[in-house]
Amino acid sequence: MNDLEKFRKDLIEATEAELKKPKLDEAIRLREQFNEEYPISTLRNMELEEYVTGRESEDSFCYKLEFGKYKEAGVGIGGAVATKFGIYYSKKAQCYKVLGSGPKRTIDVDDPEEYWKEFRKELCDFLEECGRPEFSFDYALVDRYPKLNGMGMVLNKLCFLYYPDRFTNTTHKSSVFLFKHLGITDYEKYDRVRMPFVLANVLRERIPELFTGKYDMQAIGNGIWELLAEDASSRMNPTDLGVSGDNTEESIIGGENIIYYGNPGCGKSYIVKKEYESSEYQSYHTVFHPDYTNSDFVGQILPSVSENGVFYRAVPGPFTKALKHAIDHPTEKVSLIIDEINRGNAAAILGDILQLLDRGDDGKCEYEINNDFIETYCDLQKVSIPSNLWIIATMNTSDQNVYPLDTAFKRRWKLKRIRNVFDDSDYSQTLKKMYAPGTDCSWSDFVKRINRKISRNTELFGYNAEDKQIGVYFMKKRELSEIPNDPDEKKINEFGEKVLMYLWEDVAKINRTSWFDNEYLTLDDLLLGFKEKGLRVIKDFYEDGYAENS
């Protein structure tokens, strides 16, 4: 029996079991009652206050679906935030709000009645279109119906309630689970509203036994959910099927927050790439800088233009992308890599996510937060970091840093200092034997002498210059010379403009007379001097008995 045959058998058995449960009859009864109370023609003439939650009435369309009589038996739409309904009334702000790009991810509606008319038309037009015989759903929802953006959870349910023969009763997570077991690998091209429509067609093709009239789509959806929720070993082995085991037991634990730090060029990025961007991890990457914001990191609602006008779409940031992948694929290791974490205002960039960095022994965060954007995009009620997500950062210890990291921030990370030494790798050993261009000083000897001089400056002038030391990987192999006294003018210029400029502008900035003779008044003077005298432009560079061959 192949994998698809096994899954077909398991799903039919699970659906048969659902047929015997009393809750199925209740779900079908409530679905029929919903269609009698709210045909699309009624929706098209509905007033704003008859639709929204947040007002005093408990008789509104949205209230009944989330809290009222349609809440039970898998018919209702619970969880997440009120923005999932497209428009809602905020009691706290005493105004109507919709999904937006502000700090709280929502914006006030200036003219609620006008907005409601446009929104209601889009909603009803879309629902009616879903019922047409020729409907093929070959477009992205946001392109044709921009005001329905962010309503994936609600539209999934409404499409099923109105057309249970054309849409599966599946959430985004269970849809992904089903796609993978049916061998559909390009499912990510479908938005979450389109997924249930495509799934219904795929199920008809792959498991036609489910569509003989015996099974209600509610029972099929419940069966899918039962399979998804079961322990992997009781029915199927997701690893054997080539899937990640979405929503089964989380088998990957141990996620950590780690900052690798050290001198410029000590090999931080190399180690992180080797460890956390390997085939073992699904990796996401970003770099902090002074203009980087929380919206860049988490995500935001951005305008876009189509043939139908301007619409707004959710654009996730690297954190949300990594988080969603980790949640959807609990048996995979996921890494979010942040380069130069202290080049931006890390506390402001992370915002309330900082609370999630407190981890338990298994790697899962100990707290939860509310974040409208993440909850809507990832289909969550609250936001937390799962145990299979590693957050890895790099940081230079140089004084050039734009923003210092305070103790409250750093205590949530494991700090790992990268030793500034040549290791046993082939690249490191090759680099060690290269030469500073135009000199007969090996790169390893140059690093040793410069860093010794930096340490002496710490002793002489009373300030800590240790973090200014040059890393063993500060220069790349192609920037150094394979032979001593290499006359390659291009390499000599590049070495001067990279290494000597660093010494002039950062290391020796406070007391240049301790580093260079008074004849070098500018960096230009120093670079010209390097071409003539080599490393003798640096005071006492050749002390300790080293004699340059000329």
Side-chain angles (χ1 to χ4, degrees):
M1 182 183 297
N2 62 35
D3 294 335
L4 180 58
E5 289 173 346
K6 185 178 187 306
F7 181 73
R8 179 190 290 116
K9 179 176 178 292
D10 290 339
L11 182 54
I12 291 174
E13 288 180 359
T15 303
E16 286 279 1
E18 292 300 314
L19 290 177
K20 301 174 184 178
K21 295 180 180 180
K23 71 175 184 180
L24 178 63
D25 293 335
E26 176 65 6
I28 294 173
R29 184 188 68 80
L30 285 175
R31 189 176 73 215
E32 292 172 348
Q33 185 177 342
F34 172 83
N35 276 272
E36 291 175 2
E37 184 174 6
Y38 293 113
I40 297 174
S41 58
T42 297
L43 276 181
R44 197 172 284 283
N45 295 293
M46 186 177 287
E47 298 295 330
L48 175 58
E49 292 195 8
E50 294 177 296
Y51 175 83
V52 297
T53 58
R55 307 297 282 177
E56 297 302 323
S57 173
E58 296 183 359
D59 197 41
S60 71
F61 178 84
C62 297
Y63 186 93
K64 288 179 183 177
L65 283 168
E66 186 167 16
F67 306 107
K69 64 181 181 180
Y70 296 120
K71 175 184 177 182
E72 304 301 329
V75 175
I77 309 169
V81 290
T83 52
K84 66 179 178 286
F85 287 111
I87 183 171
Y88 72 102
Y89 185 79
S90 169
K91 291 181 180 178
K92 182 177 180 180
Q94 294 189 338
C95 68
Y96 287 94
K97 289 181 174 286
V98 296
L99 191 65
S101 57
K104 295 184 177 180
R105 314 299 180 196
T106 59
I107 56 176
D108 299 350
V109 181
D110 294 331
D111 189 341
E113 289 300 331
E114 184 61 30
Y115 187 91
W116 166 245
K117 290 177 184 178
E118 296 173 0
F119 170 82
R120 180 181 61 189
K121 183 179 186 305
E122 283 195 14
L123 176 61
C124 294
D125 285 352
F126 170 67
L127 293 174
E128 285 185 348
E129 183 182 359
C130 291
R132 294 172 189 159
E134 70 279 7
F135 178 65
S136 61
F137 212 158
D138 56 354
Y139 57 85
L141 182 79
V142 72
D143 290 343
R144 192 171 297 183
Y145 300 102
K147 282 189 166 51
L148 305 187
N149 184 42
M151 288 184 63
M153 181 187 300
V154 173
L155 293 178
N156 281 359
K157 184 64 69 174
L158 292 181
C159 287
F160 170 73
L161 290 176
Y162 286 116
Y163 310 107
D165 58 331
R166 309 191 77 177
F167 290 82
T168 57
N169 182 31
T170 50
T171 65
H172 178 67
K173 292 179 182 179
S174 56
S175 293
V176 170
F177 172 85
L178 186 54
F179 268 124
K180 291 184 174 180
H181 281 78
L182 293 174
I184 308 298
T185 58
D186 60 346
Y187 62 89
E188 291 185 353
K189 70 181 181 182
Y190 305 124
D191 57 46
R192 64 180 59 201
V193 183
R194 191 176 171 189
M195 276 186 174
F197 178 80
V198 175
L199 271 177
N201 292 329
V202 174
L203 279 173
R204 282 190 180 87
E205 177 187 340
R206 306 286 177 88
I207 313 180
E209 302 95 310
L210 292 172
F211 297 88
T212 60
K214 178 180 179 180
Y215 306 109
D216 185 274
M217 193 66 88
Q218 181 82 42
I220 298 172
N222 291 351
I224 293 168
W225 184 259
E226 288 299 319
L227 286 183
L228 179 150
E230 285 185 0
D231 183 88
S233 61
S234 66
R235 274 191 184 270
M236 61 190 70
N237 187 333
T239 302
D240 292 341
L241 290 172
V243 300
S244 64
D246 297 352
N247 294 301
T248 57
E249 183 180 79
E250 291 190 4
S251 57
I252 297 295
I253 62 174
E256 297 180 292
N257 316 314
I258 305 174
I259 294 177
Y260 288 86
Y261 70 100
N263 311 120
C266 67
K268 299 179 295 296
S269 297
Y270 171 77
I271 290 174
V272 167
K273 182 178 179 64
K274 181 179 178 182
E275 294 291 330
Y276 300 101
E277 291 189 82
S278 64
S279 58
E280 186 180 0
Y281 291 85
Q282 173 65 43
S283 61
Y284 295 83
H285 195 277
T286 190
V287 180
F288 282 7
H289 54 78
D291 292 329
Y292 201 82
T293 66
N294 178 260
S295 294
D296 295 321
F297 188 57
V298 173
Q300 55 193 313
I301 307 299
L302 295 175
S304 188
V305 179
S306 73
E307 59 183 14
N308 296 312
V310 178
F311 63 92
Y312 292 85
R313 58 192 178 93
V315 179
F319 175 80
T320 303
K321 289 179 180 178
L323 178 67
K324 187 177 189 318
H325 192 99
I327 292 170
D328 290 345
H329 305 81
T331 58
E332 291 184 16
K333 288 184 176 181
V334 181
S335 64
L336 172 60
I337 298 169
I338 304 170
D339 268 335
E340 309 288 359
I341 191 170
N342 56 340
R343 298 284 177 189
N345 188 341
I349 292 169
L350 267 67
D352 51 3
I353 292 171
L354 182 65
Q355 185 77 6
L356 302 180
L357 299 183
D358 284 308
R359 304 247 196 165
D361 293 338
D362 63 352
K364 185 176 182 180
C365 71
E366 297 180 327
Y367 302 100
E368 296 178 323
I369 64 169
N370 287 109
N371 183 293
D372 288 354
F373 183 92
I374 299 174
E375 289 167 351
T376 302
Y377 188 84
C378 297
D379 197 9
L380 302 171
Q381 295 187 38
K382 284 185 177 293
V383 181
S384 64
I385 293 178
S387 61
N388 63 322
L389 176 57
W390 276 253
I391 302 179
I392 308 298
T394 65
M395 177 177 73
N396 276 336
T397 53
S398 170
D399 285 341
Q400 305 175 74
N401 299 333
V402 180
Y403 294 96
L405 303 180
D406 60 33
T407 302
F409 185 93
K410 288 192 289 188
R411 76 166 184 81
R412 292 176 163 89
W413 299 78
K414 180 182 290 187
L415 300 176
K416 290 189 177 183
R417 180 176 177 82
I418 305 301
R419 293 185 62 212
N420 189 28
V421 295
F422 293 95
D423 59 31
D424 295 330
S425 68
D426 291 342
Y427 182 78
S428 184
Q429 289 301 308
T430 298
L431 203 65
K432 182 178 180 180
K433 299 172 184 177
M434 301 293 282
Y435 291 85
T439 79
D440 71 345
C441 180
S442 69
W443 174 243
S444 60
D445 200 35
F446 175 84
V447 170
K448 178 182 69 176
R449 290 174 178 275
I450 283 296
N451 288 342
R452 183 187 298 136
K453 187 171 179 63
I454 291 174
S455 297
R456 287 180 178 175
N457 269 251
T458 298
E459 298 171 3
L460 290 173
F461 299 105
Y463 63 88
N464 183 14
E466 183 181 356
D467 61 359
K468 298 289 191 182
Q469 291 188 345
I470 286 182
V472 295
Y473 301 104
F474 191 90
M475 296 291 286
K476 295 180 172 61
K477 177 184 175 181
R478 67 174 182 272
E479 298 170 321
L480 298 171
S481 297
E482 295 182 1
I483 58 174
N485 299 310
D486 184 356
D488 188 329
E489 187 171 348
K490 180 181 178 183
K491 284 190 175 183
I492 293 173
N493 289 337
E494 289 177 347
F495 186 90
E497 290 170 357
K498 185 170 182 178
V499 176
L500 293 182
M501 184 175 70
Y502 173 69
L503 296 177
W504 179 270
E505 293 188 348
D506 292 283
V507 177
K509 186 175 183 178
I510 294 179
N511 196 321
R512 286 178 177 142
T513 58
S514 70
W515 277 84
F516 311 108
D517 290 332
N518 291 336
E519 63 182 291
Y520 304 118
L521 301 178
T522 67
L523 177 59
D524 285 339
D525 294 338
L526 182 65
L527 295 178
L528 287 173
F530 174 64
K531 287 183 179 182
E532 297 172 1
K533 299 181 180 181
L535 295 173
R536 293 190 183 281
V537 297
I538 303 172
K539 277 186 177 180
D540 305 323
F541 182 81
Y542 289 108
E543 67 177 17
D544 302 326
Y546 183 90
E548 182 180 36
N549 296 323
S550 57

